[in-house]
PDB file of all heavy atoms in Angstrom:
ATOM      1  N   GLU A  18       0.498   4.465  11.692  1.00  0.00           N
ATOM      2  CA  GLU A  18       0.487   3.961  13.067  1.00  0.00           C
ATOM      3  C   GLU A  18      -0.703   3.035  13.324  1.00  0.00           C
ATOM      4  O   GLU A  18      -1.839   3.504  13.479  1.00  0.00           O
ATOM      5  CB  GLU A  18       0.419   5.146  14.038  1.00  0.00           C
ATOM      6  CG  GLU A  18       0.399   4.783  15.484  1.00  0.00           C
ATOM      7  CD  GLU A  18       0.268   6.017  16.365  1.00  0.00           C
ATOM      8  OE1 GLU A  18       0.939   7.026  16.095  1.00  0.00           O
ATOM      9  OE2 GLU A  18      -0.535   5.964  17.316  1.00  0.00           O
ATOM     10  N   PRO A  19      -0.454   1.717  13.379  1.00  0.00           N
ATOM     11  CA  PRO A  19      -1.544   0.805  13.752  1.00  0.00           C
ATOM     12  C   PRO A  19      -2.045   1.140  15.157  1.00  0.00           C
ATOM     13  O   PRO A  19      -1.252   1.448  16.048  1.00  0.00           O
ATOM     14  CB  PRO A  19      -0.883  -0.575  13.717  1.00  0.00           C
ATOM     15  CG  PRO A  19       0.287  -0.406  12.799  1.00  0.00           C
ATOM     16  CD  PRO A  19       0.772   1.002  13.040  1.00  0.00           C
ATOM     17  N   MET A  20      -3.360   1.107  15.326  1.00  0.00           N
ATOM     18  CA  MET A  20      -3.982   1.416  16.609  1.00  0.00           C
ATOM     19  C   MET A  20      -4.459   0.112  17.262  1.00  0.00           C
ATOM     20  O   MET A  20      -4.291  -0.964  16.691  1.00  0.00           O
ATOM     21  CB  MET A  20      -5.137   2.397  16.377  1.00  0.00           C
ATOM     22  CG  MET A  20      -4.681   3.710  15.748  1.00  0.00           C
ATOM     23  SD  MET A  20      -6.033   4.727  15.092  1.00  0.00           S
ATOM     24  CE  MET A  20      -6.942   5.096  16.563  1.00  0.00           C
ATOM     25  N   VAL A  21      -5.057   0.209  18.410  1.00  0.00           N
ATOM     26  CA  VAL A  21      -5.545  -0.961  19.135  1.00  0.00           C
ATOM     27  C   VAL A  21      -6.661  -1.628  18.335  1.00  0.00           C
ATOM     28  O   VAL A  21      -7.597  -0.971  17.881  1.00  0.00           O
ATOM     29  CB  VAL A  21      -6.058  -0.554  20.535  1.00  0.00           C
ATOM     30  CG1 VAL A  21      -6.671  -1.736  21.255  1.00  0.00           C
ATOM     31  CG2 VAL A  21      -4.929   0.043  21.353  1.00  0.00           C
ATOM     32  N   GLU A  22      -6.540  -2.944  18.159  1.00  0.00           N
ATOM     33  CA  GLU A  22      -7.567  -3.703  17.456  1.00  0.00           C
ATOM     34  C   GLU A  22      -8.796  -3.865  18.339  1.00  0.00           C
ATOM     35  O   GLU A  22      -8.686  -3.954  19.558  1.00  0.00           O
ATOM     36  CB  GLU A  22      -7.037  -5.082  17.068  1.00  0.00           C
ATOM     37  CG  GLU A  22      -5.940  -5.028  16.032  1.00  0.00           C
ATOM     38  CD  GLU A  22      -5.475  -6.405  15.594  1.00  0.00           C
ATOM     39  OE1 GLU A  22      -5.841  -7.421  16.230  1.00  0.00           O
ATOM     40  OE2 GLU A  22      -4.732  -6.465  14.596  1.00  0.00           O
ATOM     41  N   ASN A  23      -9.969  -3.916  17.712  1.00  0.00           N
ATOM     42  CA  ASN A  23     -11.237  -4.143  18.407  1.00  0.00           C
ATOM     43  C   ASN A  23     -11.804  -5.473  17.936  1.00  0.00           C
ATOM     44  O   ASN A  23     -11.877  -5.726  16.738  1.00  0.00           O
ATOM     45  CB  ASN A  23     -12.230  -3.016  18.096  1.00  0.00           C
ATOM     46  CG  ASN A  23     -11.694  -1.673  18.532  1.00  0.00           C
ATOM     47  OD1 ASN A  23     -11.356  -1.480  19.692  1.00  0.00           O
ATOM     48  ND2 ASN A  23     -11.582  -0.746  17.599  1.00  0.00           N
ATOM     49  N   VAL A  24     -12.211  -6.305  18.887  1.00  0.00           N
ATOM     50  CA  VAL A  24     -12.741  -7.627  18.563  1.00  0.00           C
ATOM     51  C   VAL A  24     -14.251  -7.615  18.742  1.00  0.00           C
ATOM     52  O   VAL A  24     -14.764  -7.187  19.773  1.00  0.00           O
ATOM     53  CB  VAL A  24     -12.100  -8.710  19.465  1.00  0.00           C
ATOM     54  CG1 VAL A  24     -12.686 -10.072  19.164  1.00  0.00           C
ATOM     55  CG2 VAL A  24     -10.589  -8.709  19.297  1.00  0.00           C
ATOM     56  N   PHE A  25     -14.952  -8.077  17.707  1.00  0.00           N
ATOM     57  CA  PHE A  25     -16.409  -8.191  17.722  1.00  0.00           C
ATOM     58  C   PHE A  25     -16.762  -9.625  17.323  1.00  0.00           C
ATOM     59  O   PHE A  25     -16.996  -9.906  16.145  1.00  0.00           O
ATOM     60  CB  PHE A  25     -17.048  -7.209  16.741  1.00  0.00           C
ATOM     61  CG  PHE A  25     -16.698  -5.769  17.001  1.00  0.00           C
ATOM     62  CD1 PHE A  25     -15.714  -5.145  16.247  1.00  0.00           C
ATOM     63  CD2 PHE A  25     -17.318  -5.058  17.998  1.00  0.00           C
ATOM     64  CE1 PHE A  25     -15.388  -3.820  16.472  1.00  0.00           C
ATOM     65  CE2 PHE A  25     -16.998  -3.730  18.227  1.00  0.00           C
ATOM     66  CZ  PHE A  25     -16.029  -3.106  17.470  1.00  0.00           C
ATOM     67  N   GLY A  26     -16.758 -10.539  18.287  1.00  0.00           N
ATOM     68  CA  GLY A  26     -17.046 -11.942  17.984  1.00  0.00           C
ATOM     69  C   GLY A  26     -15.984 -12.530  17.084  1.00  0.00           C
ATOM     70  O   GLY A  26     -14.830 -12.644  17.462  1.00  0.00           O
ATOM     71  N   THR A  27     -16.375 -12.883  15.846  1.00  0.00           N
ATOM     72  CA  THR A  27     -15.420 -13.468  14.900  1.00  0.00           C
ATOM     73  C   THR A  27     -14.789 -12.415  13.980  1.00  0.00           C
ATOM     74  O   THR A  27     -14.057 -12.757  13.059  1.00  0.00           O
ATOM     75  CB  THR A  27     -16.110 -14.536  14.028  1.00  0.00           C
ATOM     76  OG1 THR A  27     -17.166 -13.911  13.293  1.00  0.00           O
ATOM     77  CG2 THR A  27     -16.650 -15.672  14.868  1.00  0.00           C
ATOM     78  N   LEU A  28     -15.067 -11.155  14.234  1.00  0.00           N
ATOM     79  CA  LEU A  28     -14.552 -10.074  13.401  1.00  0.00           C
ATOM     80  C   LEU A  28     -13.584  -9.215  14.207  1.00  0.00           C
ATOM     81  O   LEU A  28     -13.871  -8.837  15.343  1.00  0.00           O
ATOM     82  CB  LEU A  28     -15.717  -9.217  12.902  1.00  0.00           C
ATOM     83  CG  LEU A  28     -15.401  -8.135  11.891  1.00  0.00           C
ATOM     84  CD1 LEU A  28     -14.948  -8.753  10.575  1.00  0.00           C
ATOM     85  CD2 LEU A  28     -16.618  -7.258  11.660  1.00  0.00           C
ATOM     86  N   VAL A  29     -12.434  -8.900  13.609  1.00  0.00           N
ATOM     87  CA  VAL A  29     -11.451  -8.026  14.245  1.00  0.00           C
ATOM     88  C   VAL A  29     -11.308  -6.771  13.396  1.00  0.00           C
ATOM     89  O   VAL A  29     -11.028  -6.842  12.195  1.00  0.00           O
ATOM     90  CB  VAL A  29     -10.075  -8.720  14.384  1.00  0.00           C
ATOM     91  CG1 VAL A  29      -9.066  -7.781  15.033  1.00  0.00           C
ATOM     92  CG2 VAL A  29     -10.202 -10.002  15.190  1.00  0.00           C
ATOM     93  N   GLU A  30     -11.525  -5.620  14.022  1.00  0.00           N
ATOM     94  CA  GLU A  30     -11.380  -4.323  13.370  1.00  0.00           C
ATOM     95  C   GLU A  30      -9.946  -3.840  13.612  1.00  0.00           C
ATOM     96  O   GLU A  30      -9.481  -3.826  14.746  1.00  0.00           O
ATOM     97  CB  GLU A  30     -12.386  -3.354  13.990  1.00  0.00           C
ATOM     98  CG  GLU A  30     -12.330  -1.958  13.451  1.00  0.00           C
ATOM     99  CD  GLU A  30     -13.283  -1.045  14.199  1.00  0.00           C
ATOM    100  OE1 GLU A  30     -12.959  -0.662  15.343  1.00  0.00           O
ATOM    101  OE2 GLU A  30     -14.341  -0.741  13.643  1.00  0.00           O
ATOM    102  N   MET A  31      -9.254  -3.489  12.527  1.00  0.00           N
ATOM    103  CA  MET A  31      -7.852  -3.077  12.629  1.00  0.00           C
ATOM    104  C   MET A  31      -7.696  -1.638  12.127  1.00  0.00           C
ATOM    105  O   MET A  31      -7.515  -1.395  10.929  1.00  0.00           O
ATOM    106  CB  MET A  31      -6.975  -4.023  11.807  1.00  0.00           C
ATOM    107  CG  MET A  31      -7.105  -5.474  12.236  1.00  0.00           C
ATOM    108  SD  MET A  31      -6.112  -6.643  11.277  1.00  0.00           S
ATOM    109  CE  MET A  31      -6.567  -6.285   9.601  1.00  0.00           C
ATOM    110  N   PRO A  32      -7.761  -0.639  13.035  1.00  0.00           N
ATOM    111  CA  PRO A  32      -7.616   0.760  12.625  1.00  0.00           C
ATOM    112  C   PRO A  32      -6.140   1.173  12.509  1.00  0.00           C
ATOM    113  O   PRO A  32      -5.282   0.663  13.229  1.00  0.00           O
ATOM    114  CB  PRO A  32      -8.309   1.528  13.750  1.00  0.00           C
ATOM    115  CG  PRO A  32      -8.200   0.639  14.940  1.00  0.00           C
ATOM    116  CD  PRO A  32      -8.154  -0.771  14.426  1.00  0.00           C
ATOM    117  N   ILE A  33      -5.874   2.075  11.583  1.00  0.00           N
ATOM    118  CA  ILE A  33      -4.531   2.599  11.357  1.00  0.00           C
ATOM    119  C   ILE A  33      -4.644   4.114  11.192  1.00  0.00           C
ATOM    120  O   ILE A  33      -5.445   4.601  10.390  1.00  0.00           O
ATOM    121  CB  ILE A  33      -3.900   2.002  10.081  1.00  0.00           C
ATOM    122  CG1 ILE A  33      -3.841   0.478  10.172  1.00  0.00           C
ATOM    123  CG2 ILE A  33      -2.516   2.591   9.828  1.00  0.00           C
ATOM    124  CD1 ILE A  33      -3.565  -0.206   8.855  1.00  0.00           C
ATOM    125  N   LYS A  34      -3.855   4.849  11.950  1.00  0.00           N
ATOM    126  CA  LYS A  34      -3.809   6.305  11.842  1.00  0.00           C
ATOM    127  C   LYS A  34      -2.735   6.653  10.812  1.00  0.00           C
ATOM    128  O   LYS A  34      -1.617   6.132  10.870  1.00  0.00           O
ATOM    129  CB  LYS A  34      -3.439   6.909  13.196  1.00  0.00           C
ATOM    130  CG  LYS A  34      -3.728   8.380  13.330  1.00  0.00           C
ATOM    131  CD  LYS A  34      -3.247   8.961  14.649  1.00  0.00           C
ATOM    132  CE  LYS A  34      -3.756   8.216  15.856  1.00  0.00           C
ATOM    133  NZ  LYS A  34      -3.329   8.864  17.122  1.00  0.00           N
ATOM    134  N   ILE A  35      -3.078   7.509   9.832  1.00  0.00           N
ATOM    135  CA  ILE A  35      -2.109   7.896   8.805  1.00  0.00           C
ATOM    136  C   ILE A  35      -2.042   9.410   8.656  1.00  0.00           C
ATOM    137  O   ILE A  35      -3.016  10.117   8.925  1.00  0.00           O
ATOM    138  CB  ILE A  35      -2.424   7.267   7.432  1.00  0.00           C
ATOM    139  CG1 ILE A  35      -3.777   7.753   6.899  1.00  0.00           C
ATOM    140  CG2 ILE A  35      -2.348   5.759   7.472  1.00  0.00           C
ATOM    141  CD1 ILE A  35      -4.009   7.453   5.425  1.00  0.00           C
ATOM    142  N   THR A  36      -0.889   9.883   8.227  1.00  0.00           N
ATOM    143  CA  THR A  36      -0.717  11.259   7.777  1.00  0.00           C
ATOM    144  C   THR A  36       0.054  11.190   6.469  1.00  0.00           C
ATOM    145  O   THR A  36       1.105  10.553   6.391  1.00  0.00           O
ATOM    146  CB  THR A  36       0.052  12.118   8.801  1.00  0.00           C
ATOM    147  OG1 THR A  36      -0.683  12.139  10.032  1.00  0.00           O
ATOM    148  CG2 THR A  36       0.207  13.559   8.307  1.00  0.00           C
ATOM    149  N   LEU A  37      -0.496  11.812   5.450  1.00  0.00           N
ATOM    150  CA  LEU A  37       0.073  11.823   4.101  1.00  0.00           C
ATOM    151  C   LEU A  37       0.401  13.248   3.712  1.00  0.00           C
ATOM    152  O   LEU A  37      -0.233  14.184   4.190  1.00  0.00           O
ATOM    153  CB  LEU A  37      -0.933  11.297   3.080  1.00  0.00           C
ATOM    154  CG  LEU A  37      -1.704  10.028   3.382  1.00  0.00           C
ATOM    155  CD1 LEU A  37      -2.796   9.838   2.340  1.00  0.00           C
ATOM    156  CD2 LEU A  37      -0.760   8.857   3.406  1.00  0.00           C
ATOM    157  N   ARG A  38       1.333  13.401   2.794  1.00  0.00           N
ATOM    158  CA  ARG A  38       1.628  14.718   2.226  1.00  0.00           C
ATOM    159  C   ARG A  38       1.679  14.557   0.720  1.00  0.00           C
ATOM    160  O   ARG A  38       2.380  13.683   0.185  1.00  0.00           O
ATOM    161  CB  ARG A  38       2.969  15.225   2.754  1.00  0.00           C
ATOM    162  CG  ARG A  38       3.246  16.659   2.416  1.00  0.00           C
ATOM    163  CD  ARG A  38       3.171  17.525   3.671  1.00  0.00           C
ATOM    164  NE  ARG A  38       3.561  18.887   3.341  1.00  0.00           N
ATOM    165  CZ  ARG A  38       2.709  19.897   3.318  1.00  0.00           C
ATOM    166  NH1 ARG A  38       1.451  19.715   3.649  1.00  0.00           N
ATOM    167  NH2 ARG A  38       3.100  21.094   3.002  1.00  0.00           N
ATOM    168  N   GLY A  39       0.899  15.366   0.014  1.00  0.00           N
ATOM    169  CA  GLY A  39       0.848  15.338  -1.441  1.00  0.00           C
ATOM    170  C   GLY A  39      -0.169  16.348  -1.933  1.00  0.00           C
ATOM    171  O   GLY A  39      -0.819  17.028  -1.133  1.00  0.00           O
ATOM    172  N   THR A  40      -0.338  16.427  -3.237  1.00  0.00           N
ATOM    173  CA  THR A  40      -1.356  17.332  -3.766  1.00  0.00           C
ATOM    174  C   THR A  40      -2.741  16.727  -3.503  1.00  0.00           C
ATOM    175  O   THR A  40      -2.867  15.540  -3.178  1.00  0.00           O
ATOM    176  CB  THR A  40      -1.188  17.549  -5.289  1.00  0.00           C
ATOM    177  OG1 THR A  40      -1.471  16.309  -5.956  1.00  0.00           O
ATOM    178  CG2 THR A  40       0.197  18.052  -5.644  1.00  0.00           C
ATOM    179  N   PHE A  41      -3.754  17.540  -3.662  1.00  0.00           N
ATOM    180  CA  PHE A  41      -5.123  17.069  -3.483  1.00  0.00           C
ATOM    181  C   PHE A  41      -5.393  15.899  -4.432  1.00  0.00           C
ATOM    182  O   PHE A  41      -5.943  14.874  -4.037  1.00  0.00           O
ATOM    183  CB  PHE A  41      -6.096  18.222  -3.738  1.00  0.00           C
ATOM    184  CG  PHE A  41      -7.534  17.851  -3.561  1.00  0.00           C
ATOM    185  CD1 PHE A  41      -8.077  17.679  -2.297  1.00  0.00           C
ATOM    186  CD2 PHE A  41      -8.353  17.663  -4.672  1.00  0.00           C
ATOM    187  CE1 PHE A  41      -9.414  17.325  -2.137  1.00  0.00           C
ATOM    188  CE2 PHE A  41      -9.691  17.321  -4.517  1.00  0.00           C
ATOM    189  CZ  PHE A  41     -10.213  17.158  -3.248  1.00  0.00           C
ATOM    190  N   HIS A  42      -4.969  16.034  -5.688  1.00  0.00           N
ATOM    191  CA  HIS A  42      -5.220  14.990  -6.683  1.00  0.00           C
ATOM    192  C   HIS A  42      -4.434  13.714  -6.388  1.00  0.00           C
ATOM    193  O   HIS A  42      -4.946  12.610  -6.601  1.00  0.00           O
ATOM    194  CB  HIS A  42      -4.926  15.507  -8.091  1.00  0.00           C
ATOM    195  CG  HIS A  42      -5.876  16.588  -8.506  1.00  0.00           C
ATOM    196  ND1 HIS A  42      -7.194  16.358  -8.794  1.00  0.00           N
ATOM    197  CD2 HIS A  42      -5.698  17.926  -8.642  1.00  0.00           C
ATOM    198  CE1 HIS A  42      -7.796  17.491  -9.110  1.00  0.00           C
ATOM    199  NE2 HIS A  42      -6.907  18.459  -9.017  1.00  0.00           N
ATOM    200  N   GLN A  43      -3.209  13.828  -5.893  1.00  0.00           N
ATOM    201  CA  GLN A  43      -2.437  12.647  -5.497  1.00  0.00           C
ATOM    202  C   GLN A  43      -3.123  11.930  -4.330  1.00  0.00           C
ATOM    203  O   GLN A  43      -3.200  10.701  -4.314  1.00  0.00           O
ATOM    204  CB  GLN A  43      -1.011  13.040  -5.094  1.00  0.00           C
ATOM    205  CG  GLN A  43      -0.151  13.463  -6.247  1.00  0.00           C
ATOM    206  CD  GLN A  43       1.135  14.125  -5.800  1.00  0.00           C
ATOM    207  OE1 GLN A  43       1.199  14.770  -4.756  1.00  0.00           O
ATOM    208  NE2 GLN A  43       2.186  13.980  -6.613  1.00  0.00           N
ATOM    209  N   THR A  44      -3.629  12.715  -3.379  1.00  0.00           N
ATOM    210  CA  THR A  44      -4.316  12.137  -2.223  1.00  0.00           C
ATOM    211  C   THR A  44      -5.578  11.399  -2.667  1.00  0.00           C
ATOM    212  O   THR A  44      -5.829  10.269  -2.237  1.00  0.00           O
ATOM    213  CB  THR A  44      -4.661  13.237  -1.193  1.00  0.00           C
ATOM    214  OG1 THR A  44      -3.442  13.882  -0.795  1.00  0.00           O
ATOM    215  CG2 THR A  44      -5.350  12.664   0.025  1.00  0.00           C
ATOM    216  N   LEU A  45      -6.357  12.006  -3.559  1.00  0.00           N
ATOM    217  CA  LEU A  45      -7.562  11.343  -4.065  1.00  0.00           C
ATOM    218  C   LEU A  45      -7.212  10.097  -4.861  1.00  0.00           C
ATOM    219  O   LEU A  45      -7.910   9.077  -4.767  1.00  0.00           O
ATOM    220  CB  LEU A  45      -8.385  12.299  -4.926  1.00  0.00           C
ATOM    221  CG  LEU A  45      -9.077  13.440  -4.183  1.00  0.00           C
ATOM    222  CD1 LEU A  45      -9.948  14.239  -5.159  1.00  0.00           C
ATOM    223  CD2 LEU A  45      -9.905  12.940  -3.028  1.00  0.00           C
ATOM    224  N   ALA A  46      -6.133  10.142  -5.634  1.00  0.00           N
ATOM    225  CA  ALA A  46      -5.705   8.963  -6.396  1.00  0.00           C
ATOM    226  C   ALA A  46      -5.335   7.829  -5.437  1.00  0.00           C
ATOM    227  O   ALA A  46      -5.657   6.663  -5.694  1.00  0.00           O
ATOM    228  CB  ALA A  46      -4.528   9.310  -7.299  1.00  0.00           C
ATOM    229  N   PHE A  47      -4.683   8.144  -4.322  1.00  0.00           N
ATOM    230  CA  PHE A  47      -4.328   7.127  -3.342  1.00  0.00           C
ATOM    231  C   PHE A  47      -5.588   6.552  -2.687  1.00  0.00           C
ATOM    232  O   PHE A  47      -5.726   5.332  -2.556  1.00  0.00           O
ATOM    233  CB  PHE A  47      -3.394   7.706  -2.278  1.00  0.00           C
ATOM    234  CG  PHE A  47      -3.009   6.708  -1.226  1.00  0.00           C
ATOM    235  CD1 PHE A  47      -2.223   5.610  -1.536  1.00  0.00           C
ATOM    236  CD2 PHE A  47      -3.433   6.863   0.075  1.00  0.00           C
ATOM    237  CE1 PHE A  47      -1.873   4.678  -0.565  1.00  0.00           C
ATOM    238  CE2 PHE A  47      -3.094   5.949   1.057  1.00  0.00           C
ATOM    239  CZ  PHE A  47      -2.304   4.846   0.725  1.00  0.00           C
TER     240      PHE A  47
END
Side-chain angles (χ1 to χ4, degrees):
E18 180 183 317
M20 300 166 64
V21 175
E22 293 183 349
N23 300 304
V24 178
F25 302 100
T27 61
L28 187 66
V29 179
E30 178 185 76
M31 302 179 307
I33 302 166
K34 196 184 307 183
I35 63 166
T36 300
L37 314 171
R38 190 110 175 110
T40 67
F41 181 75
H42 294 289
Q43 289 168 329
T44 302
L45 290 185
F47 179 67

